[in-house]
Amino acid sequence: MNQKLRVVIPMALAIVVAVALTAGGCAKKTEETTTDTTSEQTVEEVDGNWTTATAKGDIADEAISGTINGEEVTIKNVSIKDWDGEYSWSFSTLAPESTCGVVVDDNAVNFSSKTLRAGTFTKKMEDEIEFSDYHSYYHYEQEDGTPMSVNVDWGATIVVKEVDKDANKVSGWAKFDFSDEKTALEGSFEADLCE
């Protein structure tokens, strides 16, 4: 009977050890599952300048404003027009008479992109970028009423929180800087999507 007891005790210990190891393995798998769940929320690069991030980051959470050619401005209209596969963004000091209408005699920062999506576009001032993919410039009315366009090095962060094609609206935040230090915009926007 003592021999049977010796055999039963080691088997019981082996079962307890096996259960403990299996439970430890399950706990580890639970942690891996949690890690996989959070990795779905991580930011992914879409291309060299776009990521999937839709958080505003350090951009001011107030209506977009700043300076154009050294003068303080309030942006009264943001529109994004689809021009043959390119999106033409305008951050203008004047609003059109009708949605997606033409604006003249305004001061504006313009941005063009081949992409319009929820996410974040980033370009640092010193970054080289293909002009046919993305470019930005600003224009302003001179004292004699003649428009002046300024093309210098630029940097931008544009966060598109939502593209609502049913309502033809795009919302988010933007920040632009130009190397001549005369023009800079920052803040939140809601744009008319003109397709």
Side-chain angles (χ1 to χ4, degrees):
M1 198 160 176
N2 282 345
Q3 284 183 340
K4 282 186 181 176
L5 187 58
R6 281 188 209 148
V7 171
V8 171
I9 291 173
M11 285 180 68
L13 282 173
I15 291 171
V16 169
V17 169
V19 168
L21 288 174
T22 304
C26 286
K28 193 171 191 178
K29 284 186 180 179
T30 302
E31 289 172 11
E32 287 172 5
T33 303
T34 303
T35 303
D36 288 347
T37 302
T38 55
S39 72
E40 291 174 6
Q41 300 169 359
T42 59
V43 174
E44 294 178 16
E45 185 178 295
V46 178
D47 70 26
N49 294 88
W50 282 93
T51 68
T52 57
T54 56
K56 72 176 190 67
D58 64 355
I59 300 175
D61 198 16
E62 51 194 46
I64 191 163
S65 63
T67 58
I68 294 180
N69 194 43
E71 292 188 21
E72 287 191 25
V73 296
T74 300
I75 299 302
K76 296 187 178 170
N77 181 258
V78 180
S79 64
I80 303 169
K81 296 179 180 171
D82 184 355
W83 291 89
D84 195 27
E86 181 176 278
Y87 294 94
S88 179
W89 305 54
S90 176
F91 296 81
S92 175
T93 57
L94 297 177
E97 290 183 18
S98 61
T99 302
C100 296
V102 176
V103 177
V104 293
D105 303 330
D106 67 331
N107 297 338
V109 168
N110 300 291
F111 172 70
S112 293
S113 67
K114 285 193 173 179
T115 301
L116 175 62
R117 64 177 327 278
T120 299
F121 168 85
T122 306
K123 179 197 175 289
K124 294 180 182 172
M125 190 82 65
E126 64 274 9
D127 289 349
E128 294 294 325
I129 195 166
E130 193 64 44
F131 184 84
S132 60
D133 291 339
Y134 304 101
H135 58 275
S136 187
Y137 67 97
Y138 68 90
H139 71 264
Y140 64 94
E141 290 293 304
Q142 299 180 89
E143 286 182 20
D144 65 1
T146 308
M148 174 63 78
S149 177
V150 180
N151 293 279
V152 294
D153 288 337
W154 58 280
T157 301
I158 302 170
V159 180
V160 177
K161 182 180 177 184
E162 181 181 19
V163 177
D164 185 344
K165 293 213 173 192
D166 293 331
N168 292 319
K169 296 289 183 184
V170 176
S171 59
W173 300 268
K175 182 176 184 177
F176 289 93
D177 293 294
F178 291 83
S179 63
D180 63 1
E181 299 183 356
K182 292 182 177 180
T183 297
L185 296 180
E186 180 176 3
S188 62
F189 69 86
E190 182 176 85
D192 294 316
L193 179 57
C194 309
E195 296 185 293

